[in-house]
Every structure is written in structure tokens, then in C-alpha cells.
Amino acid sequence: MPKVSGWAAHAQGAAVAPWDFERREPRDKDIAVRVRYCGVCASDLSAIRHGDPAAFPLVAGHEIVGEVSAVGDAVTRFSVGDQVAVGNIVDSCRTCPACRAGRENWCHEGVTLTYGGTDRVDGSRTQGGYSTEYVVDEHFAYPLPSGLDPAGVAPLMCAGVTTYVPLRRWGTGPGRTVGVVGMGGLGHIALQLAHAMGAEVVQFTTSPDKATEARRLGADDVVLSRDERQMAAQTGRFDLILDTVGAPHALEPYLTALAIDGTLCLVGIPEQDLRLSPLSLIVGAKNLAGAGSGGTVETQEMLDFCGAHGITAETEIVPAHDVNTGLDRLARNDVRYRFVLDLA
């Protein structure tokens, strides 16, 4: 099996360090990808610092952009030299109703994740994109949209599809008013997507200094969520509010801001359980929903949409040898808006 170089944490909470390890030889439907960029996601930070001790050594990274360097004998979708992207799902059962519908993220048997997962063929543990090469079944790889910055595409493979899917599901478009809660790695992409879909878009933020940037990225209005008067003025305004915040916060003010039959969809994952008054849902027939990631059909649709509208993540490029600095800054929320490792 070929040796590749990566950046791994060898124990829970340990610093990430260079590590040489083995990748499998490409199977008949596999492609080998020479990794150029890999996004640094909050879930990477959580896995490295708080993950299952049995999962180490761990190579994180599930927002991969690179070039095809080898193909298996039965590969039909890609050739050597193609520019491709790989996300956080690299296999599924392929036979359950969700998989047959192209919604592999809800596979009844559970998906194989890009790292920390179990390979369905040989039982080995998957290692991620903080490495020089990745090997993946062509079914879970995607052509890189032409004309987009490759580094800016990398975070679309997680943050992009996670926000695109609920925006599409709940009918974002002209004549609809959509709120985005939080303007971080997820929120700043959701804002661009909702604007490109033609909705009136309102950015909720706790940071007054983000107002100008929010308007630059497509917000029609900006609401400071810590200002009670501004929040009270939103009552009944929104068809959909997409909540991207991963820290504990009250949901009732956003439910109040929904129109009749409106939906508050959670894509951020606070550490604490949610608590809310049942009446905040009953009055106005409000809906509380959740969404996460996307299958192959939705991911390809998201990439096509971003390619057509010139949407990428706002990124800061970090040399691979500075990955620990990036993780430390991410832990302090010191990033606007996504870190991407340069692995070329």
C-alpha cells in the first residue's frame, strides 16, 4: 500500500504533528486525489480535542479539493488530471431508500465518514484530508466548478451543502423572507446562497462590526440580536430562519420572528439540550426543524449553483505546518470566516 504524508493528532487533545501512514491502493471504482486544499471545520477541532480515544492517531479534514492522480480500472466519471472535491461522506450502503434517492447522508445503515469511519470493504479506519493524498470511490467525488477559487470551494463541501439543503427544502426564493442567525463559517455562506436564490435576506448577528460585511455578502437588512427593540420589531416577519450558531442561545425570539407556518431550522449544534415553551410553537403554527450535510445529488446541485453564481467561502489560507495555530484560533473564534490548509 502507498505511503502518504499527513498531519495527525496521536491522542485526544494532543497537538497535530506530521505522520506518514498507508492509504489503500485504488479499487476498481476508486480515484486517488492529490490534495491541494483542505478546509478546517469546527468538527475537526472537536474530533481532535474531544474525540473517542480509540480513534487516534487521527488525520482530520473532510473539505477536500485536489487533482486526480490515479483511477481504478472501472472508473468512468474522472480521468487523471481532473480537479475534484470530496466532502464528509465517502461511502454508504447504496441500497436503502435514502441512498437510492441520492440522500446518502441519511443512509439507514449509517455513512462512512471521511475520517474516523470504518471502511466497508476491509474494516480499516478512514483518515482524512490533512494529508497529501486521499483515495475515494468516484461516487462520492465531484467535479470542481470551473472559475471558482479552489481554496474557497473546499468549505462548500461541508458548510456549503449543510446550509444549501435546508434553504432549498423550505423554498427560498423571490417573495420569501429568510433570516440567517450567526455570521460564521456556516452563516456567511448561507447568506450568500439565500441572496443568490432571490430571497429578502436578513442577517442576525451579535457583532455590530459585521453589519457592513453582511451587506457586502448580500444581506438586505442586519439585526443586532442583543438589541431587544430590534428583535421585537421582527415579529412575524420571516418565512424561514436558518440558525447556524453552535453556542447555547434562546430560540424563542426567533420563533416569535417567524410568520404563520414559518420554520426555524437548526444547522448549528449547541452542546446543551434545547429548551423552549411549547406555546412558542403552537401560537402561529410554527415549525422547528433540523438539517445536516447532504447526499450526492444535493451536493452536486449545490456545487453547480455556486459555480453559476460565483459563490465561495471567505477564507484564510494556512500552511499545513501551521495547522495547530489555525486550530487554536478557531477555538477562540478568531477567523473570518473559514481556515483552509494549503497542502500542495
Side-chain angles (χ1 to χ4, degrees):
M1 293 191 290
K3 283 272 192 181
V4 300
S5 297
W7 294 82
H10 288 267
Q12 184 188 74
V16 174
W19 184 47
D20 291 338
F21 64 102
E22 293 180 339
R23 289 280 190 206
R24 69 172 185 259
E25 293 284 356
R27 300 171 186 141
D28 284 351
K29 297 291 288 182
D30 282 347
I31 61 173
V33 180
R34 185 178 298 111
V35 180
R36 183 178 178 190
Y37 295 109
C38 187
V40 180
C41 181
S43 58
D44 298 345
L45 180 68
S46 178
I48 290 168
R49 299 195 172 175
H50 309 292
D52 181 355
F56 295 86
L58 176 70
V59 179
H62 59 209
E63 300 173 342
I64 300 167
V65 168
E67 179 180 307
V68 176
S69 57
V71 297
D73 292 340
V75 168
T76 59
R77 297 179 57 227
F78 299 102
S79 301
V80 172
D82 286 350
Q83 304 299 305
V84 296
V86 179
N88 63 341
I89 297 169
V90 294
D91 208 355
S92 67
C93 78
R94 317 283 185 95
T95 59
C96 72
C99 286
R100 291 200 304 271
R103 303 182 72 185
E104 295 90 343
N105 53 315
W106 306 130
C107 175
H108 292 192
E109 294 184 8
V111 298
T112 301
L113 297 175
T114 309
Y115 65 85
T118 301
D119 186 276
R120 290 174 178 268
V121 176
D122 61 20
S124 62
R125 187 169 66 247
T126 58
Q127 300 288 1
Y130 294 6
S131 59
T132 55
E133 184 179 87
Y134 198 86
V135 176
V136 63
D137 188 298
E138 67 168 342
H139 184 75
F140 291 92
Y142 307 87
L144 193 71
S146 61
L148 295 185
D149 169 36
V153 170
L156 298 181
M157 301 311 296
C158 179
V161 69
T162 295
T163 52
Y164 178 88
V165 170
L167 289 171
R168 273 297 190 216
R169 178 181 178 186
W170 278 284
T172 300
R176 306 277 283 177
T177 302
V178 174
V180 177
V181 183
M183 194 175 161
L186 290 167
H188 89 285
I189 297 175
L191 174 56
Q192 295 178 76
L193 290 169
H195 173 74
M197 291 174 184
E200 177 189 19
V201 189
V202 179
Q203 180 68 55
F204 290 93
T205 180
T206 60
S207 304
D209 63 343
K210 287 186 176 179
T212 299
E213 291 181 64
R215 294 184 188 280
R216 175 177 63 84
L217 293 173
D220 298 291
D221 194 5
V222 179
V223 174
L224 297 180
S225 55
R226 289 176 176 165
D227 187 316
E228 292 183 3
R229 285 189 295 181
Q230 287 192 35
M231 289 298 292
Q234 309 309 310
T235 299
R237 180 178 184 183
F238 295 90
D239 301 293
L240 170 68
I241 297 177
L242 192 65
D243 189 339
T244 71
V245 176
H249 60 288
L251 299 183
E252 276 87 354
Y254 300 107
L255 290 166
T256 300
L258 291 175
I260 295 172
D261 296 324
T263 298
L264 172 62
C265 179
L266 308 181
V267 294
I269 308 176
E271 294 179 359
Q272 300 175 6
D273 290 343
L274 302 174
R275 295 181 65 87
L276 54 85
S277 165
L279 281 175
S280 63
L281 293 174
I282 293 170
V283 176
K286 312 294 176 61
N287 303 291
L288 180 63
S293 190
T296 53
V297 172
E298 295 160 323
T299 301
Q300 186 61 65
E301 183 181 312
M302 178 274 301
L303 287 171
D304 292 343
F305 184 86
C306 289
H309 293 273
I311 296 172
T312 57
E314 303 260 314
T315 63
E316 181 176 337
I317 308 300
V318 177
H321 61 79
D322 282 341
V323 58
N324 289 299
T325 300
L327 290 168
D328 288 341
R329 287 181 56 193
L330 179 59
R332 301 193 302 269
N333 199 29
D334 177 24
V335 55
R336 288 195 178 181
Y337 289 94
R338 293 300 296 253
F339 287 123
V340 173
L341 295 183
D342 184 348
L343 291 145

